[in-house]
Amino acid sequence: MKRQQQDKLPVAIIGAGPVGLAAASNLIERGLTPVVFEAGEHVGAAIREWGHVRLFSPWRHNIDPASRRLLEPTGWIEPRLSSLPYGSELIEQYLDPLAALPAIANALHLSTTVTAVSRIGMDKTHSRGRDKRAFLVRVRAVDGTVADHRVRAVIDTSGTWAQPNPIGQAGLPAPGEAEAVAQGRITGPLPDVTGRDRDRFAGRHVLVIGAGHSAANTLISLGQLAKNEPGTRISWAVRAPDATRLYGGGDLDGLPARGQLGTRLRKLVEDGHIELHTSFTSTSFDIVTVAGREALSVTGDTPDGQVTLEADLLIPATGFRPDLGILREIRLELDPAVEAPRALGPLIDPEFHSCGTVPAHGAKVLAHPEKDFYIAGMKSYGRAPTFLLATGYEQVRSITAALAGDTTAADQVHLELPETGVCSTDLGGSCDAPVENTGQDEPAESCCATPAPVLIGIPAGLAHGRSAE
């Protein structure tokens, strides 16, 4: 295909979350044609799974500038920029109106799963004339129909929500873990235990494994459930030898909502509402019969030898990782540690960086050997838990400028984010969410409001990162 013809093809965007729709908005502003493939039935499918959770970052960091410019002429009412939205509000007040705009709606292919990305007529091993070939994006509809799309470029913003980290040690699933998931004994992350999923957890013994804000939110919600549902028991297992660092700064936290999260969790443990098991590394899972009913048996290594915990259900809070399977025929260059684009990896390594210390970056840093192919959004951060939506918006602004041939705009990346001392591994690595629902209309601050070295879970920052003494 001649270059002029190829340039008239659309740009494929994988995923219709906030960053994917921001990429579409930026392409439209540039006069380019997007085609957006979303596996879910609606835009923001992953966010709908945790719509009951409030974000740390305020609206001002969650609205893409190009998307705002598309929305404003329609009479769209911008939310109060200082307020902290729930995931459901992010969808209802921003993503749904954006997706309804004709320019976006005409580009959307919902319930369409991308199964592979390659080059027309070439597998990964062929080099001659590779950059002149259009991309092939293969998709599968819900009825099983397969279709191939020719596109000039690909921006993968599919996130990491669908790829939670294993619970077992060494980054691997423990024996019996897959079977426990299949039987429904291991739930998905961040279930709505006091809302739509209440009946599943009420009166049951629930084990939470993992640390971070995701674990804290889940445990506090379980504590609320246990007050109203007799027979509800809560256990919590962590690999850390001591829980002190998991509770955060309490009253000393510069961010009241975040400090309250750790304080409430500590009180639940100290009052005996949560049974805490420290220095616990999961090694195997089994389904056993206890008192005439089936239960999940979790065996783990501890300093005192193997310990077995039994529960009805297990909620994982162990973070996420990118699914690279659809990119087998694309020439990627990834950081060996965090599985981000190689140039980005050292900038986001959680051993050394928090959300606020990650510098602005765009197309140059995100580029791969495969010309005009980019990974953006949470997926671009691989396993690093330091991503913010505002970072993703700047990524796709730069990428779309590069695809439009505006190298000056692509290279001039700007992003001002205050440094924060903690970045959670929640929601596929996002620092934007979640914060515990305190019952107040508006928490006082966001996690990005001021530097505040507080340690809940694995610290992804402080001035010198996790390695600091």
Side-chain angles (χ1 to χ4, degrees):
M1 181 179 290
K2 293 182 179 180
R3 186 70 204 185
Q4 283 184 332
Q5 293 175 311
Q6 184 171 323
D7 287 347
K8 294 180 181 179
L9 292 173
V11 175
I13 300 167
I14 306 174
V19 178
L21 294 184
S25 298
N26 278 273
L27 287 169
I28 291 167
E29 273 202 334
R30 289 278 179 179
L32 302 177
T33 303
V35 55
V36 186
F37 302 109
E38 168 56 51
E41 296 180 5
H42 308 278
V43 299
I47 297 175
R48 293 173 193 272
E49 296 293 317
W50 50 269
H52 57 287
V53 175
R54 195 193 289 269
L55 280 74
F56 277 135
S57 53
W59 272 112
R60 65 176 175 271
H61 290 309
N62 299 326
I63 299 173
D64 164 61
S67 300
R68 176 189 282 112
R69 291 191 289 271
L70 286 183
L71 283 165
E72 285 176 337
T74 69
W76 171 71
I77 300 175
E78 184 174 73
R80 185 156 60 88
L81 295 182
S82 61
S83 64
L84 301 170
Y86 285 95
S88 59
E89 293 172 332
L90 188 67
I91 292 170
E92 294 163 6
Q93 299 179 40
Y94 174 53
L95 295 185
D96 278 347
L98 182 60
L101 297 177
I104 300 288
N106 292 335
L108 275 173
H109 294 254
L110 299 172
S111 300
T112 303
T113 301
V114 174
T115 60
V117 181
S118 189
R119 291 276 188 180
I120 295 291
M122 286 186 167
D123 66 13
K124 194 174 189 174
T125 65
H126 289 79
S127 298
R128 185 174 299 174
R130 187 173 185 85
D131 292 351
K132 297 178 182 178
R133 298 289 186 106
F135 286 92
L136 182 154
V137 178
R138 178 162 293 174
V139 303
R140 184 183 65 248
V142 289
D143 63 1
T145 304
V146 174
D148 289 343
H149 294 258
R150 291 174 177 243
V151 298
R152 60 164 292 194
V154 177
I155 307 173
D156 184 351
T157 66
S158 57
T160 57
W161 176 259
Q163 192 81 1
N165 284 326
I167 303 170
Q169 63 175 324
L172 303 174
E177 183 173 338
E179 292 79 2
V181 172
Q183 294 185 38
R185 295 291 175 173
I186 298 177
T187 75
L190 284 171
D192 187 2
V193 300
T194 59
R196 65 173 181 235
D197 301 319
R198 183 188 189 96
D199 290 345
R200 187 178 185 187
F201 297 97
R204 313 293 291 278
H205 180 192
V206 185
L207 170 64
V208 177
I209 291 185
H213 294 102
S214 146
N217 275 276
T218 298
L219 289 161
I220 289 170
S221 294
L222 285 168
Q224 294 172 346
L225 180 66
K227 288 181 180 179
N228 300 309
E229 296 288 350
T232 304
R233 292 178 53 205
I234 312 165
S235 295
W236 179 27
V238 297
R239 294 181 183 177
D242 187 284
T244 303
R245 299 178 68 210
L246 306 177
Y247 298 134
D251 293 340
L252 299 179
D253 195 330
L255 308 178
R258 190 175 64 192
Q260 186 183 52
L261 190 69
T263 299
R264 293 180 67 186
L265 180 57
R266 179 196 291 271
K267 182 169 177 57
L268 284 171
V269 173
E270 292 179 347
D271 289 350
H273 300 298
I274 295 175
E275 183 179 300
L276 174 63
H277 302 269
T278 57
S279 300
F280 186 91
T281 300
S282 306
T283 56
S284 68
F285 296 84
D286 292 289
I287 305 298
V288 298
T289 300
V290 179
R293 57 187 289 184
E294 285 192 343
L296 177 65
S297 173
V298 185
T299 300
D301 287 338
T302 75
D304 298 322
Q306 285 196 334
V307 171
T308 297
L309 306 177
E310 292 173 353
D312 294 311
L313 293 166
L314 187 156
I315 301 175
T318 51
F320 301 81
R321 60 181 60 179
D323 181 1
L324 302 172
I326 65 172
L327 308 178
R328 287 287 300 274
E329 298 305 324
I330 292 297
R331 294 183 174 182
L332 302 178
E333 192 170 29
L334 299 174
D335 179 85
V338 296
E339 296 181 331
R342 183 174 288 275
L344 178 61
L347 305 180
I348 62 174
D349 189 333
E351 292 283 346
F352 305 101
H353 295 282
S354 74
C355 302
T357 65
V358 175
H361 54 276
K364 275 190 174 179
V365 169
L366 297 169
H368 290 275
E370 197 76 68
K371 186 177 185 297
D372 293 338
F373 173 83
Y374 299 93
I375 302 174
M378 287 183 184
K379 190 170 182 177
S380 73
Y381 272 45
R383 302 190 188 195
T386 48
F387 177 76
L388 284 163
L389 278 180
T391 303
Y393 296 155
E394 179 61 8
Q395 287 179 337
V396 295
R397 184 209 60 79
S398 173
I399 289 169
T400 54
L403 293 176
D406 189 347
T407 55
T408 300
D411 292 345
Q412 292 178 346
V413 288
H414 301 287
L415 186 64
E416 294 183 7
L417 293 173
E419 182 177 352
T420 179
V422 168
C423 294
S424 169
T425 59
D426 297 331
L427 310 186
S430 174
C431 292
D432 295 294
V435 69
E436 215 276 325
N437 175 14
T438 63
Q440 301 172 351
D441 290 338
E442 301 295 345
E445 300 279 358
S446 82
C447 78
C448 303
T450 182
V454 183
L455 302 174
I456 296 181
I458 298 175
L462 302 185
H464 304 289
R466 193 186 300 160
S467 299
E469 290 296 328

